[in-house]
Amino acid sequence: QVQLVESGGGLVQAGGSLRLSCVASGRTFSSYAMGWFRQAPGKEREFVAVLRWSGGNTYYADSVKGRFTISRDNAKNTVYLQMNSLKPEDTAVYSCAADPTAIYRGMVFTPGGYAHWGQGTQVTVSS
């Protein structure tokens, strides 16, 4: 199976930036969808961004579009989430996810479409 290890979370002031990293190992990634999700206390896990590994296609939730950027580094088997202009409402546990067939199944925007998950990293944005 694929193992995913996240890092980069922390405490930041509103308007600041953070870059989250997700290092993947255990499988090839050519057909994988690589997604970022987040979950705030008392709320359901929600989609943030997704990247198609083979072609680099990306899609973002409306709430983060223009502020967040998902990218990959093939040599490092790593997916990044660059978060700029952070707001207090961005505070959540951010998790990366991977699945080899989510794109084919049309399930790239929902947590249930992903078989592999990282443990999550806390992002806290202070006002």
Side-chain angles (χ1 to χ4, degrees), residues 2-3 13 22 26-27 36 38-39 44 47 58 70 81 87-88 92 119 123 127:
V2 172
Q3 296 89 45
Q13 290 182 289
C22 177
R27 290 284 191 91
W36 285 98
R38 67 186 184 186
Q39 186 170 27
E44 295 183 344
F47 168 78
T58 60
I70 186 171
L81 185 67
K87 306 174 181 179
Q119 66 180 27
V123 172
S127 60

Side-chain angles (χ1 to χ4, degrees), residues 52-75:
R52 189 184 74 183
W53 188 266
S54 60
N57 307 70
T58 60
Y59 189 89
Y60 299 90
D62 289 342
S63 59
V64 306
K65 190 174 183 179
R67 299 188 297 123
F68 291 11
T69 303
I70 186 171
S71 62
R72 72 187 192 278
D73 186 327
N74 300 62

Side-chain angles (χ1 to χ4, degrees), residues 21-61:
S21 299
C22 177
V23 180
S25 62
R27 290 284 191 91
T28 60
F29 309 110
S30 60
S31 67
Y32 274 68
M34 305 294 296
W36 285 98
F37 294 80
R38 67 186 184 186
Q39 186 170 27
K43 296 184 178 180
E44 295 183 344
R45 181 174 289 173
E46 66 175 353
F47 168 78
V48 176
V50 65
L51 176 148
R52 189 184 74 183
W53 188 266
S54 60
N57 307 70
T58 60
Y59 189 89
Y60 299 90

Side-chain angles (χ1 to χ4, degrees), residues 10-12 38-41 43 46 68 86-94 122-127:
L11 176 65
V12 65
R38 67 186 184 186
Q39 186 170 27
K43 296 184 178 180
E46 66 175 353
F68 291 11
L86 283 163
K87 306 174 181 179
E89 51 262 45
D90 294 319
T91 296
V93 174
Y94 285 72
Q122 176 71 47
V123 172
T124 302
V125 184
S126 62
S127 60

